[in-house]
Amino acid sequence: MFELIFYETEKGQIPVEDFLKDLPLKLRAKISRDLMILQDRGNTLREPYSKHISDGLFELRTKFGSDITRVFYFFIVDNKIILTNGFVKKTQKTPQKEIEKALEYKKDYQRRYLK
């Protein structure tokens, strides 16, 4: 079993929590189910649920009706998964700015907590 941790900025913002709060209830429920699968299977989870993006960054892939969402995450020691940010996907390709934001959050987390 893996532990899910929501990344928090130095200013106290929790991007993935803010993302989830703004979603319709049924979509949020579907993502919650997928997060439980991620928590259970961790680094053995593969497509269609999870996909490696780059530099140890992964995306949790959720589809509900015509809505497609992505939640970025990465692993740290002791079976911990850090959830960084999420977005509703509107194009075929994952927007580079969303990936860059997740990589910045990952770098910030590592700088502050993994010394």
Side-chain angles (χ1 to χ4, degrees):
M1 184 71 87
F2 287 74
E3 179 183 356
L4 299 179
I5 299 169
F6 286 13
Y7 163 80
E8 184 174 339
T9 68
E10 287 186 289
K11 293 180 179 179
Q13 297 168 308
I14 305 171
V16 77
E17 186 176 84
D18 293 340
F19 166 70
L20 293 171
K21 280 194 285 191
D22 288 340
L23 295 175
L25 186 60
K26 288 183 179 183
L27 181 55
R28 193 173 341 139
K30 178 84 186 283
I31 294 173
S32 294
R33 182 196 68 113
D34 290 349
L35 285 169
M36 288 191 299
I37 293 169
L38 175 63
Q39 186 175 24
D40 185 51
R41 297 189 38 202
N43 56 358
T44 65
L45 190 63
R46 300 287 183 261
E47 288 192 49
Y49 295 103
S50 175
K51 183 177 179 181
H52 180 257
I53 298 300
S54 71
D55 297 329
L57 183 70
F58 296 82
E59 65 180 9
L60 184 68
R61 305 157 63 102
T62 300
K63 186 170 195 282
F64 183 76
S66 63
D67 293 318
I68 299 170
T69 65
R70 300 291 187 254
V71 172
F72 291 109
Y73 66 93
F74 61 94
F75 296 93
I76 60 171
V77 295
D78 297 328
N79 290 340
K80 293 182 180 170
I81 300 170
I82 311 302
L83 305 167
T84 59
N85 57 306
F87 69 100
V88 176
K89 192 170 178 191
K90 298 192 184 299
T91 62
Q92 191 71 4
K93 200 170 174 182
T94 299
Q96 190 62 35
K97 71 176 186 125
E98 294 292 343
I99 295 170
E100 289 169 7
K101 188 187 310 178
L103 288 170
E104 277 300 312
Y105 291 154
K106 179 180 182 241
K107 189 171 155 185
D108 178 59
Y109 183 92
Q110 291 170 327
R111 177 184 60 80
R112 291 191 292 144
Y113 298 108
L114 305 178
K115 297 176 184 175

